[in-house]
Amino acid sequence: MFIELGDLVAYGVLGLDSSSRLGQSVQFFIMDVSKIFFLLVVVIYVMGLLRAMISAERVREYVRGKPKWLARSLAILLGAVTPFCSCSSVPLFIGFVEAGIPLGVTFSFLIASPMINEVAAVILISVLGWELAALYVMSGLMVAYVGGVVMEKFKPEQYVEDYVWKIRMGEMQMIEQDNSLRGRHLFAMGEVTVIVKRIWKWVIAGIGLGALFHGYVPETWVIENLGGPDNWFAVPGAVIVGIPLYSNATGVIPLAEAMLGKGVAVGTTLALMMSIAALSLPEMLILRKVIRWPALAIYASVLAISFILVGWSFNFIVV
Amino acid sequence: MINVKILGSGCANCKTTFQLIDEITRSKGVEVELEKVEDMGEIMSYGVMSTPGVMVGDKLVHSGGIPTRSAIESWF
């Protein structure tokens, strides 16, 4: 349905040639904008209707006082289903510390949260197919688990700003919820507006880049330079390129779609997606308010190395 | 006079929330004392982790994200 819409607008209404670069880019752009925004609205609305969004306060209650492996698994799963705004990272970090949740577990949560969320998962399935979606989600969960464990070895406690330890959190107050159908509908509509407003720029940018890649980058160039699975430098290259770039997890999907379509290896694509979604300068600057640079540098290195390993493994396994 | 606190670290969403509440209470003619709380220690002392949060009197009515217009109207 979305392919036809793309064809109709690009080749019919605008009268572009379907074999031209511009035509192919425009067709890709229209197709993906309509498809992804349609899915976004539907998925967020349904989640809102079910009130499936779990608040950070609840996550904290679930995780505190559990044995470490269980705490970490819970933190990652909850991180994956809570789309929290990065401006909440600081209170979240402090809240976890105050609840006595180990720092390594908190890092696992911070890694999982931007990389995986249920909205991105649904869009991944419909754009790239469930096999790739499952690969992305599973390797993301694994990186979050291992990444947190490795962070712990570096004793990150020594780098936490002193004031963080002094903050005492008050009693958690329950907010009354209107659980009637009307209340749920209003809540769901609110979620759609807030989340779409927050991420639309990333999604459009991702689709734009994907469209340019789709229309203008020749396949032969891709095979020579980004390489198939046997090009070892492609993966670290992708991760390094992804670090300064930032986009919401949903926004990376169209770029990945275009790259895979041109024959970029699966592992290289996954590594780039993870690096763009989970590692970003703005996020680092926000976290700087609670932890000092050495810990941030370790955090970034641990993640970058994990993404490279993920990329290499998949290039090796999936041929 | 009702005391209303907007809890948030000064991010864009917090400012929008502040303006929205200001606008709605004015148009309804409700007299409120709007207060921005930006100190992390104080925010957390109210048990809030997701910002922006809103307190009307000493009751937490909202946390995490910009509240909807209809939600704000129901508080006053």
Side-chain angles (χ1 to χ4, degrees):
Chain A
M1 171 171 95
F2 300 106
I3 300 176
E4 283 83 51
L5 184 66
D7 286 346
L8 180 75
V9 175
Y11 310 138
V13 178
L14 297 174
L16 296 165
D17 182 357
S18 65
S19 59
S20 72
R21 292 176 164 186
L22 181 66
Q24 287 181 4
S25 289
V26 171
Q27 191 268 351
F28 183 95
F29 188 80
I30 306 279
M31 175 184 79
D32 262 24
V33 165
S34 55
K35 179 165 61 183
I36 291 181
F37 278 92
F38 172 78
L39 286 168
L40 264 182
V41 169
V42 172
V43 179
I44 301 170
Y45 181 81
V46 172
M47 289 288 170
L49 212 54
L50 300 170
R51 282 198 186 271
M53 309 287 189
I54 303 168
S55 71
E57 288 82 358
R58 278 235 191 103
V59 174
R60 179 174 176 267
E61 291 311 305
Y62 285 131
V63 174
R64 77 188 304 172
K66 297 273 190 318
K68 207 179 257 176
W69 67 270
L70 183 59
R72 191 185 311 277
S73 310
L74 277 174
I76 292 168
L77 286 179
L78 296 168
V81 294
T82 7
F84 80 99
C85 164
S86 61
C87 52
S88 285
S89 310
V90 168
L92 207 135
F93 187 94
I94 300 174
F96 276 35
V97 167
E98 205 261 350
I101 296 170
L103 274 187
V105 172
T106 308
F107 279 115
S108 284
F109 180 86
L110 287 176
I111 299 171
S113 191
M115 200 156 47
I116 310 165
N117 62 64
E118 69 284 356
V119 178
V122 172
I123 295 176
L124 261 175
I125 293 174
S126 53
V127 175
L128 301 180
W130 68 268
E131 293 100 337
L132 270 175
L135 278 185
Y136 178 81
V137 170
M138 270 160 37
S139 43
L141 296 175
M142 222 168 60
V143 167
Y145 198 99
V146 177
V149 172
V150 175
M151 280 306 291
E152 241 162 51
K153 306 282 178 235
F154 290 95
K155 309 224 175 316
E157 290 77 13
Q158 55 185 316
Y159 302 116
V160 172
E161 295 285 1
D162 292 333
Y163 79 94
V164 171
W165 304 109
K166 296 187 188 113
I167 291 180
R168 287 288 158 263
M169 221 174 134
E171 184 92 7
M172 186 176 121
Q173 296 189 37
M174 286 309 288
I175 297 168
E176 285 165 31
Q177 290 185 337
D178 176 3
N179 270 329
S180 67
L181 199 59
R182 199 184 114 78
R184 281 166 183 268
H185 167 74
L186 286 175
F187 177 81
M189 293 301 285
E191 289 292 322
V192 171
T193 348
V194 168
I195 298 178
V196 172
K197 251 192 205 160
R198 194 167 81 211
I199 68 178
W200 72 271
K201 290 182 283 260
W202 306 118
V203 179
I204 293 277
I207 299 173
L209 266 178
L212 287 178
F213 198 93
H214 177 78
Y216 287 87
V217 180
E219 243 162 277
T220 44
W221 184 88
V222 170
I223 290 167
E224 271 165 33
N225 294 283
L226 294 172
D230 47 341
N231 182 345
W232 288 88
F233 298 109
V235 173
V239 171
I240 290 167
V241 168
I243 293 175
L245 292 178
Y246 172 71
S247 166
N248 174 275
T250 309
V252 219
I253 298 172
L255 181 60
E257 179 189 7
M259 286 172 61
L260 290 169
K262 292 278 174 174
V264 177
V266 171
T268 313
T269 311
L270 285 180
L272 180 71
M273 286 173 80
M274 290 185 171
S275 175
I276 293 181
L279 264 177
S280 74
L281 206 58
E283 168 88 10
M284 293 282 166
L285 290 176
I286 291 171
L287 283 178
R288 173 62 194 86
K289 289 183 187 158
V290 281
I291 42 178
R292 286 189 286 272
W293 287 117
L296 286 177
I298 299 169
Y299 181 64
S301 322
V302 167
L303 281 182
I305 293 169
S306 326
F307 297 153
I308 293 175
L309 293 178
V310 166
W312 278 341
S313 334
F314 282 121
N315 280 354
F316 184 68
I317 301 168
V318 190
V319 180
Chain B
M1 187 75 105
I2 315 167
N3 176 275
V4 178
K5 292 189 183 73
I6 287 106
L7 317 172
S9 51
C11 60
N13 282 354
C14 313
K15 284 176 193 137
T16 316
T17 306
F18 185 93
Q19 282 159 5
L20 209 57
I21 296 180
D22 186 45
E23 185 196 313
I24 290 171
T25 48
R26 263 173 218 277
S27 72
K28 288 186 92 174
V30 185
E31 280 197 39
V32 290
E33 183 195 2
L34 277 179
E35 195 187 330
K36 271 185 200 164
V37 179
E38 297 191 344
D39 177 67
M40 209 38 84
E42 194 183 339
I43 294 177
M44 312 236 10
S45 73
Y46 299 118
V48 171
M49 271 165 67
S50 345
T51 56
V54 181
M55 307 254 300
V56 175
D58 51 8
K59 192 163 167 286
L60 183 73
V61 291
H62 176 84
S63 86
I66 302 168
T68 56
R69 206 162 256 279
S70 58
I72 300 175
E73 277 165 4
S74 72
W75 303 333
F76 302 102

